[in-house]
């Protein structure tokens, strides 16, 4: 549970979403090396990594 200010929470959420995009990029790279051999279930503060037709993406809705 977050106990800081609203600005701190926004900053942490933004950083977490950046990390989510990096994770998705790494999963896509692994998928290129081993097609069909990668699966993942990743959630973080403000993001969920999902597999789409185009590859892995960090959903930050």
């Amino acid at each position: 549970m977050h106990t800081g200010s609203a600005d701190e929470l926004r900053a942490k959420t933004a950083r977490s979403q950046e990390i989510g995009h990096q994770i998705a990029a790494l999963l896509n790279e692994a998928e290129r090396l081993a097609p069909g051999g990668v699966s993942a279930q990743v959630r973080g503060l403000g993001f969920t990594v999902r597999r789409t037709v185009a590859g892995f993406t960090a959903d930050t809705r």
Side-chain angles (χ1 to χ4, degrees):
M1 175 179 226
H2 179 72
T3 58
S5 71
D7 288 338
E8 288 174 326
L9 180 58
R10 277 190 287 278
K12 288 181 179 186
T13 300
R15 179 63 182 131
S16 180
Q17 289 175 346
E18 290 172 14
I19 291 168
H21 289 291
Q22 291 173 347
I23 292 168
L26 290 170
L27 290 168
N28 283 322
E29 185 176 337
E31 181 69 18
R32 282 190 293 276
L33 295 172
V38 178
S39 70
Q41 187 173 15
V42 183
R43 287 186 184 183
L45 177 63
F47 76 91
T48 300
V49 173
R50 300 186 190 283
R51 182 182 214 133
T52 66
V53 175
F56 289 94
T57 185
D59 183 359
T60 58
R61 289 184 243 172

